[in-house]
């Protein structure tokens, strides 16, 4: 605690691409009818005027009396309607920024046969501004991270940190990752994955949703990150091509222990990308393809393990990784008519990973060479998804019905070969894993703009199955493989859900209330010959409410309060019963007895805007029951550590987030993000089943932590700009231990050429090579410290061209 209380928030961050999500352009619509006959009045003149009666824009109603005016900026207006033979209608109208559409409903005109003096009818029918639950960032504006992966692009976003390839929002890694609003095999249907290999060149923007509404799936208590892929819809033939290259691991930060293969240096990166679009009349074809090849010093971790009996082991885990990730998305939009459209698309990706690993072990007391573990992990991840989406637009703008079906198949094909060399023998062994995931999603969504808000409702049905086959290939003598722990297992998940979400808006006040009800039936069928685990599962019917209240103090200040209840179900990899030997002496095992983790969250947010900047602040509190984590224990005399999934009981996360954006001059813009939080995991006791039944008890863990990010943009002239990003991450708690502070500095420059069609960029991540992951773990009769000098410093150069 004393060490943590001395946190000094140093750092610099720049996210010129981020603003709180609000609608800058709104469509106002309604229907005009005769007061007596209630019949629609066609060709009526409709005008939007400023409060001083100056004209902004106008239109006329169609033959059914419907009018629609787009491109209206939020603010106060007068809605003026005039028609020969009828009295003029003038009404005060406030256009808010919460929804893209406002339906003022039916407006009745009174006939004026005698052409009497003008009658003015006024009413306060107003809407409030943005929700403060969502932030949107354009990836191509992130100059200091261009040419890398999506995970790298997220590192300097407010409230986001990355750790071990996982994204955390406000210190919480229970984050649901979506692609174009959908869960996919690329980023995971449960636990997040794959973000470190998705090319940023394929992504248009990233949305961070801290307080999701009921229309989203109930999992992801930390929030949602929606990755919006690039897609053009311009008429004719157009597109974009790009190529980036780079080098990482420019020098050796820490020399290897004796007797192992060299660690990667000057690792190459190559990322060609292509985006094509062709639109003619009612049909739009699109294609996006990217290939990211990288060689990476993926891990270079030095560990000292100390046991209560005096044993000390020094070890290193080095992984030289070759990765090729190809991703593509293609499809067709068919605009059948003004009210109906159909989109058919397909997504295909294949990720090939080869890890060449070395793990030496030495006696920390006398330097004796105890063991050398060398391996090749050859893994191919293939995913294919087909989507069919139908949209029916009613005559009223924003009033629509969406029906969609998605089917995903992906295969995890892993082969792991290793040589285990000890002073008295050497063995060669292997294991093979194939896991096929099949997911079918059906959704039905209905949206209806109202005069004072918006109504959303719908249903969703999911069926997900994952049969897995793990086969151990042990040596005849001295095998380390637990030959009774392989076999077959099948994960089956069925989730029907229904939701409703209602937003009510007036000028000063906005309220949102939603409810999602999910039924979950999860079953994990285990091979009856497995030596430890048996089939297990659970089912539940649970409500997941959400609420928001926003008060607009004035045009520049607003206050919002949020409540959410969400769930995180254990994913298949948390349950998977097979021991994983990618670390020779820290063995990961799942647990089919895992239960879901339920979380309640509260948040209070405030925003103040001014001409050249804004301030945003939020205080939040989350508390969870059934916290899903991993527990590290030893159970025999071999000094092996078993890392097993468990429900650890109660935990909480309380914090404050601040975002300040300011244009200092016409050439310098700075954005500062501060996030401080208190994390606590209550004391808990669990019973582990593997490899033999044993009880583990942990004391309460708590820490004050946070991060600071300062991003600065510079306009250099001649269509050039630069970005300097600095990130400081304070110490934090991890399961059974702590992770030390980290700091990095990123720099990038970009120049537009060829009359704005071409773009050159150059950037460097972790410019000072300071990002080292230092951890300390305490177990039942052991502790260990680790320092991971993996590759963080990368220099990239790239070119993009639009046509």
């Amino acid at each position: 605690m004393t060490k943590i209380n001395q946190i000094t928030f140093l750092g610099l961050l720049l996210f010129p691409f981020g603003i709180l999500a609000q609608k800058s352009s709104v469509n106002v619509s309604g229907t005009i009818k005769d007061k007596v006959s209630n019949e629609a009045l066609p060709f009526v003149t409709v005008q939007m005027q400023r409060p001083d009666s100056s004209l902004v824009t106008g239109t006329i109603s169609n033959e059914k009396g419907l009018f629609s005016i787009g491109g209206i900026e939020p603010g106060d207006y007068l809605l003026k309607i005039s028609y020969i033979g009828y009295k003029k209608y003038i009404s005060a109208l406030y256009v808010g920024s919460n929804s893209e559409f406002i339906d003022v409903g039916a407006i009745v005109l009174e006939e004026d046969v005698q052409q009497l003096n003008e009658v003015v009818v006024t009413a306060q029918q107003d809407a409030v501004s943005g929700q403060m639950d969502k932030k949107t960032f354009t990836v191509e504006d992130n100059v200091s991270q261009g040419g890398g992966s999506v995970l790298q692009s997220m590192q300097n976003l407010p409230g986001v940190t990355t750790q071990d390839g996982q994204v955390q929002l406000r210190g919480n890694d229970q984050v649901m990752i979506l692609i174009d609003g959908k869960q996919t095999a690329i980023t995971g249907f449960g636990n997040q994955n794959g973000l470190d290999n998705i090319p940023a060149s394929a992504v248009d923007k990233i949305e961070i949703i801290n307080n999701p509404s009921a229309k989203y799936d109930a999992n992801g208590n930390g929030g949602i990150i929606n990755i919006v892929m690039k897609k053009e819809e311009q008429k004719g033939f157009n597109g974009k091509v790009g190529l980036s290259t780079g080098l990482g691991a420019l020098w050796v930060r820490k020399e290897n222990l004796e007797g192992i293969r060299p660690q990667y240096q000057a690792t190459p990166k190559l990322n060609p990308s292509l985006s094509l679009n062709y639109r003619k009349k009612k049909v739009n074809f699109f294609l996006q393809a990217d290939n990211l090849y990288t060689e990476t010093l993926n891990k270079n971790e030095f560990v000292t393990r100390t046991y209560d009996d005096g044993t000390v082991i020094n070890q290193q885990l080095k992984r030289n990784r070759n990765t090729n990730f190809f991703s593509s998305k293609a499809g067709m939009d068919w605009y059948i008519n003004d009210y109906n459209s159909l989109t058919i698309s397909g997504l295909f990706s294949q990720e090939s990973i080869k890890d060449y690993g070395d793990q030496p072990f030495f006696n920390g007391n006398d330097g004796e060479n105890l063991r050398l573990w060398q391996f090749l992990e050859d893994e191919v991840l293939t995913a294919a998804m087909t989507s069919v989406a139908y949209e029916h637009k009613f005559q009223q703008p924003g009033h629509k019905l969406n029906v969609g079906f998605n089917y995903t198949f992906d295969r995890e094909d892993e082969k792991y070969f290793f040589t285990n060399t000890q002073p008295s023998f050497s063995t060669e062994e292997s294991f093979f894993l194939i896991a096929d995931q099949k997911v079918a999603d059906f959704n039905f969504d209905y949206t209806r703009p109202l005069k004072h808000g918006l109504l959303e409702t719908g249903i969703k049905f999911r069926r997900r199955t994952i049969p897995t086959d793990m086969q151990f290939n042990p040596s005849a003598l001295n095998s380390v493989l637990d030959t009774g722990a392989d076999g077959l297992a099948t994960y089956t998940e069925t989730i029907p859900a229904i939701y409703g979400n209602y937003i009510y808006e007036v000028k000063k006040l906005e309220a949102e209330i939603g409810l999602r009800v999910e039924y979950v039936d999860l079953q994990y069928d285990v091979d009856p010959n497995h030596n430890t685990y048996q089939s297990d599962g659970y089912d539940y019917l649970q409500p997941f409410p959400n609420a928001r209240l926003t008060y607009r103090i004035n045009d520049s200040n607003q206050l919002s309060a949020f409540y959410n209840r969400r769930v995180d179900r254990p994913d298949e990899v948390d349950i998977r019963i097979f021991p994983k030997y990618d670390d020779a002496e820290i063995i990961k095992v799942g647990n089919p007895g895992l239960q879901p983790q339920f979380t309640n969250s509260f948040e209070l947010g405030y925003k103040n805007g001014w001409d050249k900047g804004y301030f945003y602040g939020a205080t939040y509190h989350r508390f969870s029951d059934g916290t899903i984590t991993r527990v590290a224990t030893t159970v025999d005399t071999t000094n092996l550590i078993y890392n097993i999934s468990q429900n650890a009981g109660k935990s909480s996360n309380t914090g404050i987030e601040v975002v300040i954006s300011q244009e200092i001059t016409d050439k310098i813009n700075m954005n500062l993000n501060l996030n401080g939080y208190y994390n606590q995991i209550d004391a808990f006791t669990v019973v582990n089943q593997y490899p033999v039944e044993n009880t583990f008890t942990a004391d309460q863990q708590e820490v004050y932590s946070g991060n600071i990010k300062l991003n600065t943009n510079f306009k250099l002239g001649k269509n050039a700009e630069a970005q300097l990003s600095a990130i400081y991450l304070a110490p934090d708690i991890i399961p059974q231990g702590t992770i030390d502070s980290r700091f990095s500095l990123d720099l990038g420059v970009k120049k537009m050429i060829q009359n704005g069609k071409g773009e050159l960029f150059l950037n460097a991540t972790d410019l000072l090579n300071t990002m080292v992951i230092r951890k300390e773990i305490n177990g039942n009769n052991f502790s260990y410290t680790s320092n991971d000098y993996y590759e963080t410093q990368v220099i990239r150069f790239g070119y993009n061209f639009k046509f």
Side-chain angles (χ1 to χ4, degrees):
M1 288 291 290
T2 301
K3 178 180 178 181
I4 295 165
N5 285 333
Q6 294 176 347
I7 296 170
T8 56
F9 287 112
L10 306 171
L12 310 168
L13 154 291
L14 160 170
F15 61 91
F17 35 70
I19 59 172
L20 294 170
Q22 298 182 355
K23 312 304 180 192
S24 59
S25 179
V26 179
N27 180 289
V28 177
S29 63
T31 304
I32 303 172
K33 296 182 178 182
D34 182 279
K35 183 176 181 179
V36 177
S37 67
N38 203 37
E39 293 181 355
L41 296 177
F43 314 119
V44 178
T45 300
V46 182
Q47 294 180 336
M48 294 286 290
Q49 299 180 348
R50 294 291 184 191
D52 61 3
S53 297
S54 60
L55 178 64
V56 177
T57 185
T59 186
I60 61 173
S61 64
N62 64 15
E63 66 276 3
K64 296 182 179 181
L66 176 69
F67 71 88
S68 175
I69 304 176
I72 303 299
E73 296 180 355
D76 288 296
Y77 293 89
L78 293 175
L79 178 63
K80 183 177 180 180
I81 299 174
S82 57
Y83 194 46
I84 296 175
Y86 287 81
K87 298 177 181 179
K88 290 183 179 180
Y89 174 93
I90 300 178
S91 174
L93 178 65
Y94 179 78
V95 177
S97 59
N98 176 64
S99 174
E100 295 182 42
F101 301 94
I102 290 179
D103 178 11
V104 298
I107 297 174
V108 294
L109 297 186
E110 184 178 352
E111 192 173 1
D112 187 3
V113 180
Q114 300 181 8
Q115 295 296 316
L116 298 176
N117 292 334
E118 179 180 290
V119 175
V120 179
V121 180
T122 61
Q124 293 291 328
Q125 301 169 353
D126 306 320
V128 77
S129 62
Q131 302 159 302
M132 286 196 290
D133 67 339
K134 179 179 175 181
K135 307 179 186 73
T136 303
F137 308 91
T138 303
V139 171
E140 67 180 16
D141 289 337
N142 191 358
V143 181
S144 64
Q145 298 286 347
S149 69
V150 170
L151 185 69
Q152 291 162 340
S153 292
M154 292 182 184
Q155 289 184 114
N156 57 359
L157 301 187
V160 177
T161 54
T162 61
Q163 181 177 307
D164 297 330
Q166 301 284 296
V167 171
Q168 296 181 334
L169 285 179
R170 298 171 172 175
N172 188 328
D173 64 359
Q174 297 291 344
V175 180
M176 181 166 61
I177 309 295
L178 308 179
I179 292 183
D180 292 333
K182 304 180 184 71
Q183 291 179 289
T184 71
I186 296 177
T187 54
F189 286 92
N191 292 341
Q192 52 177 293
N193 58 53
L195 294 176
D196 52 346
N197 292 318
I198 298 177
S201 58
V203 178
D204 178 24
K205 58 186 178 181
I206 297 171
E207 298 174 337
I208 299 175
I209 307 170
N210 292 115
N211 296 280
S213 70
K215 69 179 180 180
Y216 294 99
D217 290 346
N219 55 308
N221 76 73
I224 293 173
I225 293 179
N226 183 32
I227 299 169
V228 181
M229 307 298 280
K230 289 179 178 176
K231 177 185 173 183
E232 296 289 345
E233 293 184 345
Q234 301 178 44
K235 290 183 179 181
F237 181 73
N238 52 85
K240 183 178 181 179
V241 294
L243 177 66
S244 68
T245 186
L247 289 176
L250 301 180
W251 61 70
V252 175
R253 292 201 282 174
K254 186 173 176 63
E255 295 289 347
N256 288 335
L257 297 182
E258 294 180 4
I260 69 173
R261 294 168 291 189
Q263 55 186 264
Y264 269 180
Q265 277 189 270
T267 53
K269 326 287 180 185
L270 188 65
N271 175 207
S273 62
L274 173 67
S275 177
L276 297 176
N277 186 80
Y278 178 72
R279 181 170 181 177
K280 186 175 183 180
K281 296 182 179 179
K282 294 185 176 183
V283 180
N284 180 64
F285 297 95
F286 55 89
L287 169 68
Q288 175 75 38
D290 293 80
N291 195 85
L292 179 63
Y293 175 79
T294 61
E295 294 181 12
T296 312
L297 181 57
N298 175 259
K299 199 172 190 68
N300 192 26
E301 185 178 30
F302 294 79
V303 176
T304 298
R305 283 184 281 149
T306 303
Y307 292 81
D308 291 350
D309 63 2
T311 301
V312 178
I313 297 175
N314 292 329
Q315 66 186 70
Q316 178 188 359
L317 175 57
K318 173 189 65 65
R319 275 204 305 255
N320 292 333
R321 172 170 289 184
N322 294 0
T323 302
N324 192 83
F325 184 86
F326 172 78
S327 65
S328 62
K329 182 179 181 180
M332 176 192 73
D333 300 313
W334 178 27
Y335 304 98
I336 303 169
N337 52 42
D338 291 341
Y339 301 106
N340 297 279
S341 63
L342 182 69
T343 297
I344 301 174
S345 63
L347 185 150
F348 175 81
S349 71
Q350 188 168 75
E351 181 179 7
S352 176
I353 303 172
K354 288 188 177 181
D355 280 342
Y356 302 90
D358 298 79
Q359 194 171 22
F361 299 85
F362 294 88
N363 188 318
N365 294 317
D366 59 17
E368 177 189 0
N369 189 335
L370 301 175
R371 184 184 195 184
L372 175 61
W373 181 280
Q374 294 182 303
F375 63 87
L376 166 63
E377 184 174 5
D378 187 353
E379 186 173 15
V380 178
L381 306 173
T382 305
M385 184 175 78
T386 300
S387 297
V388 179
Y390 167 75
E391 180 175 83
H392 172 72
K393 295 180 180 178
F394 297 88
Q395 289 189 1
Q396 202 70 39
H399 185 191
K400 57 187 179 180
L401 173 69
N402 294 90
V403 181
F405 176 76
N406 302 305
Y407 180 77
T408 300
F409 172 82
D410 69 277
R411 166 167 289 187
E412 177 186 357
D413 185 353
E414 179 182 357
K415 296 179 176 64
Y416 189 97
F417 306 89
F418 64 91
T419 301
N420 179 28
T421 302
Q422 298 191 28
S424 59
F425 66 86
S426 180
T427 60
E428 293 185 355
E429 302 183 83
S430 64
F431 62 81
F432 303 151
L433 170 70
I434 290 183
D436 290 338
Q437 180 170 222
K438 307 163 194 175
V439 186
D441 284 336
F442 171 80
N443 64 281
F444 176 100
D445 300 284
Y446 175 78
T447 304
R448 176 72 163 93
L450 304 172
K451 191 171 186 178
H452 292 289
L454 185 71
L455 174 66
E456 301 169 308
T457 187
I459 60 175
K460 181 177 179 179
F461 179 85
R462 166 171 291 174
R463 175 72 173 180
R464 182 180 176 213
T465 60
I466 310 175
T468 56
D469 183 1
M470 171 71 88
Q471 297 297 323
F472 290 160
N473 304 304
S475 60
L477 297 173
N478 301 311
S479 175
V480 299
L481 297 172
D482 185 354
T483 54
D486 60 355
L488 305 173
T490 301
Y491 174 103
T492 306
E493 181 184 76
T494 304
I495 309 178
I498 184 170
Y499 75 89
N501 198 61
Y502 173 64
I503 300 173
Y504 176 80
E505 305 173 281
V506 290
K507 185 171 183 178
K508 289 290 186 181
L509 195 65
E510 177 180 331
E512 177 178 4
I513 187 168
L515 178 65
R516 187 180 189 91
V517 178
E518 288 188 351
Y519 172 75
V520 174
D521 183 6
L522 187 147
Q523 181 64 31
Y524 193 66
D525 295 317
V526 173
D527 191 321
N529 296 318
H530 194 274
N531 60 14
T532 303
Y533 289 122
Q534 297 178 347
S535 299
D536 210 330
Y538 60 83
D539 65 278
Y540 64 77
L541 177 67
Q542 288 279 341
F544 299 97
N546 67 277
R548 174 175 57 87
L549 186 66
T550 298
Y551 176 66
R552 185 183 179 90
I553 302 169
N554 52 41
D555 290 342
S556 301
N557 296 272
Q558 63 187 37
L559 193 66
S560 290
F562 302 87
Y563 166 73
N564 270 278
R565 182 176 189 261
R566 302 187 68 78
V567 63
D568 284 285
R569 297 178 290 272
D571 196 26
E572 189 270 338
V573 294
D574 298 315
I575 294 175
R576 188 176 288 179
I577 58 175
F578 314 118
K580 190 170 177 61
Y581 294 90
D582 50 1
D583 187 302
E585 297 191 0
I586 302 178
I587 300 169
K588 289 185 177 180
V589 188
N591 175 9
L594 274 183
Q595 295 294 304
Q597 168 183 325
F598 294 95
T599 301
N600 289 274
S601 64
F602 299 87
E603 181 170 334
L604 184 64
Y606 167 74
K607 185 193 174 187
N608 172 249
W610 52 89
D611 288 342
K612 296 185 178 182
Y614 68 87
F615 169 90
Y616 166 76
T619 178
Y620 53 88
H621 175 66
R622 298 188 186 97
F623 56 94
S624 301
D625 194 12
T627 304
I628 297 173
T629 186
R630 284 190 175 269
V631 170
T633 61
T634 59
V635 296
D636 50 34
T637 59
T638 63
N639 292 327
L640 295 180
I641 297 173
Y642 296 93
N643 206 335
I644 301 173
S645 302
Q646 284 287 5
N647 292 107
K650 298 182 183 298
S651 62
S652 63
N653 170 237
T654 305
I656 297 175
E657 181 180 4
V658 172
V659 177
I660 302 173
S661 177
Q662 179 63 50
E663 181 181 323
I664 299 174
T665 71
D666 59 351
K667 294 186 177 181
I668 302 176
N669 178 279
M670 299 185 71
N671 294 268
L672 176 68
N673 173 224
L674 309 173
N675 188 32
Y677 52 84
Y678 169 75
N679 277 348
Q680 177 178 309
I681 302 175
D682 290 355
F684 65 92
T685 298
V686 294
V687 177
N688 296 318
Q689 300 297 326
Y690 189 87
V692 294
E693 185 174 308
N694 62 95
T695 300
F696 174 79
T697 299
D699 296 331
Q700 177 176 296
Q701 283 184 272
E702 58 183 359
V703 69
Y704 290 94
S705 187
N707 52 77
I708 294 182
K709 303 179 181 182
L710 179 64
N711 286 346
T712 307
N713 268 2
F714 303 91
K715 293 181 180 179
L716 304 178
K718 295 184 179 180
N719 297 316
E721 60 183 277
Q723 184 184 55
L724 181 67
S725 303
I727 304 171
Y728 171 77
L729 308 176
D732 206 345
I733 56 173
I734 55 178
Q736 293 178 250
T738 58
I739 183 170
D740 209 346
S741 62
R742 291 147 284 163
F743 173 76
S744 68
L745 188 68
D746 304 332
L747 176 65
V749 293
K750 179 172 71 173
K751 180 175 175 59
M752 304 302 295
I753 58 175
Q754 299 169 301
N755 296 320
K757 292 185 176 182
E759 174 189 275
L760 291 171
F761 68 85
L762 173 68
N763 60 49
T765 59
D766 195 15
L767 193 63
L768 305 179
N769 222 9
T770 53
M771 183 65 76
V772 178
I773 307 298
R774 296 181 172 89
K775 299 179 183 177
E776 183 174 335
I777 302 294
N778 294 291
N780 52 342
N781 62 355
F782 72 94
S783 64
Y784 71 79
T785 59
S786 69
N787 295 274
D788 191 354
Y789 298 88
Y790 71 111
E791 175 186 308
T792 57
Q793 187 181 70
V794 180
I795 296 176
R796 294 186 180 87
F797 173 77
Y799 169 73
N800 297 310
F801 179 76
K802 294 180 180 180
F803 57 89

